[in-house]
């Protein structure tokens, strides 16, 4: 086996990369990663330096791969390590560069190593991780970060064997219990919470708004022109940078087709007044971006949560991950769910400090998750 690092995802054939993406994650698709690089979201000016890793066997067959980035800042990777960078400085060390295996601007759990289904997973996983650590040493990176891991037991065992530290987070996810309809789902709520949801839905319809669903292949340039300002507006309102350009969305919409899902709200004049941009795999819907022209009462809940749940039920999807943060999701049926990332720190002093912090943080996150679970809207008998 031999490894190669690539300064652009387009240096790797799309069909070969996508053949390893067996979970059909939209975020690990060649189309998503390529558009992010070529449309300016993943660029040196924003601290992203691609170093994607591929592993071939002796016959030249691609048997493993990792999305990989040398980072010169933490903006956009959702590692939440700003305080660690300051601590590293206090030790007289440079925190950047660091090496990140993850998806740009996307705190969604998923596969981080793409492995050929016929290959021996443990050896491939170890070879990919070894190569990653070797690159980190060569670049004098402070750390290697595998962000937002899925339940891949092989990768977790590999990381544990190589002294990675695990970090626990908490998001709020919806899970499909075989519901026949949105009303069937709502019937599991207690009476008070069920009335509130129906009231929120009514407020949207009473405002003269209607919601429609579009997939990437159904959205032309003119409709993207109507959608895109809503994406930008939310970032501007909170003083953040909207990394993805309209060209990015037009490209991924065209290439991903039904894997990109947009929920639109139109007013009586048929104008688009709000949009929620989502992605989907074969079993999960991922909420990513939302924005509206004005503060329509309850529209955020109806467009970003209830429309997504209804879509999952109709499409037979098993999970809905509406994005990071948001305790208001709990009362609407989204359960507190742990997320996991893994970190390898080169400096033993920094590793000791962060290891101690992570132990205390994990206990606090577990307590928070337990407290949030007490506020779920489901009937107690359920």
């Amino acid at each position: 086996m031999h490894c190669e690092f690539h300064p652009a995802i387009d240096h790797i054939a799309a069909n070969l990369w996508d053949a390893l993406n067996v979970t059909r994650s939209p975020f690990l698709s060649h189309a998503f990663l390529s558009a992010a690089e070529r449309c300016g979201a993943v660029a040196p000016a924003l601290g992203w330096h691609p170093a994607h890793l591929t592993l071939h066997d002796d016959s030249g067959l691609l048997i493993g791969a990792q999305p990989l980035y040398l980072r010169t800042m933490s903006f956009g990777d959702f590692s939440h390590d700003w305080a660690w960078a300051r601590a590293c400085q206090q030790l007289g060390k440079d925190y950047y560069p660091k090496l990140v295996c993850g998806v740009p601007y996307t705190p969604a759990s998923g596969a981080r190593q793409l492995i050929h289904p016929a290959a021996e997973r443990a050896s491939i996983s170890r070879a990919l991780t070894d190569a990653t650590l070797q690159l980190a040493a060569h670049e004098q990176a402070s750390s290697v970060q595998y962000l937002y891991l899925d339940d891949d037991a092989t990768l977790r065992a590999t990381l544990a064997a190589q002294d990675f530290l695990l970090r626990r987070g908490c998001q709020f996810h919806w899970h499909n219990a075989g519901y026949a309809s949105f009303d069937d789902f709502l019937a599991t709520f207690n009476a008070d919470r069920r009335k509130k949801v129906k009231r929120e839905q009514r407020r949207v319809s009473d405002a003269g708004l209607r919601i429609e669903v579009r997939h990437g292949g159904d959205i032309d340039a003119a409709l993207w022109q109507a959608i895109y300002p809503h994406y930008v507006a939310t970032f501007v309102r909170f003083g953040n940078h909207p990394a993805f350009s309209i060209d990015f969305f037009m490209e991924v919409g065209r290439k991903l087709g039904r894997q990109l899902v947009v929920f639109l709200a139109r007013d009586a004049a048929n104008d688009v007044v709000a949009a929620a941009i989502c992605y989907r795999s074969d079993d999960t819907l991922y909420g990513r971006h939302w924005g509206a022209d004005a503060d329509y009462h309850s529209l955020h809940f109806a467009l970003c949560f209830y429309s997504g749940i209804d879509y999952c039920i109709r499409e037979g999807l098993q999970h809905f991950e509406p994005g990071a943060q948001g305790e208001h999701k709990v009362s609407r049926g989204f359960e507190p769910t742990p997320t996991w990332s893994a970190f390898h720190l080169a400096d033993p002093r920094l590793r000791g400090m962060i290891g101690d912090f992570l132990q205390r943080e994990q206990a606090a996150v577990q307590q928070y998750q337990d407290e949030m679970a007490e506020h779920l809207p489901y009937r107690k008998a359920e």
Side-chain angles (χ1 to χ4, degrees), residues 40-49 71-73 75 105 241:
V42 172
L46 297 174
W48 296 93
H49 301 264
R71 302 242 44 214
T72 53
M73 64 174 77
F75 167 72
Y105 310 103
H241 172 68

Side-chain angles (χ1 to χ4, degrees), residues 125-324:
S125 178
R126 183 61 187 246
L128 291 170
T129 313
D130 283 345
T132 302
L133 290 169
Q134 289 168 14
L135 177 64
H138 181 268
E139 296 291 341
Q140 297 184 316
S142 70
S143 59
V144 174
Q145 305 180 356
Y146 282 79
L147 302 179
Y148 298 93
L149 305 168
D150 65 4
D151 295 328
D152 182 353
T154 299
L155 176 56
R156 293 196 183 200
T158 299
L159 298 175
Q162 293 170 315
D163 295 324
F164 277 74
L165 301 173
L166 283 177
R167 185 179 194 181
R168 182 180 188 141
C170 181
Q171 293 182 357
F172 301 98
H173 299 168
W174 177 85
H175 305 288
N176 192 343
Y179 303 113
S181 65
F182 187 85
D183 285 341
D184 185 29
F185 158 67
L186 209 56
T188 65
F189 281 27
N190 62 55
D192 181 62
R193 190 60 248 176
R194 185 165 57 250
K195 290 176 183 177
K196 290 180 179 179
V197 171
K198 290 184 175 180
R199 188 183 309 129
E200 288 169 344
Q201 293 178 308
R202 213 162 38 241
R203 281 172 172 154
V204 173
S205 59
D206 289 348
L209 303 178
R210 60 181 177 84
I211 295 175
E212 67 180 56
V213 184
R214 294 291 190 100
H215 293 98
D218 305 326
I219 305 175
D220 59 17
L223 186 51
W224 276 120
Q225 291 287 348
I227 294 169
Y228 187 70
H230 301 105
Y231 161 77
V232 172
T234 299
F235 283 88
V236 171
R237 186 167 75 251
F238 291 102
N240 293 326
H241 172 68
F244 293 126
S245 67
I246 190 171
D247 291 335
F248 167 85
F249 287 114
M250 291 174 66
E251 181 170 330
V252 296
R254 185 176 66 254
K255 290 185 176 180
L256 292 184
R258 284 183 60 83
Q259 285 197 285
L260 188 144
V261 187
V262 181
F263 300 99
L264 305 174
R266 293 186 184 270
D267 62 13
N270 206 40
D271 292 328
V272 176
V273 298
I277 301 174
C278 304
Y279 296 83
R280 60 168 288 181
S281 65
D282 290 341
D283 64 1
T284 304
L285 180 69
Y286 303 91
R288 295 304 309 123
H289 313 290
W290 127 274
D293 283 346
D295 187 16
Y296 296 96
H297 199 301
S298 301
L299 180 59
H300 177 252
F301 307 135
L303 198 65
C304 296
F305 303 151
Y306 306 145
S307 294
I309 291 172
D310 183 59
Y311 177 89
C312 287
I313 293 171
R314 287 187 286 106
E315 293 282 320
L317 303 184
Q318 298 305 303
H319 312 285
F320 179 18
E321 300 185 15

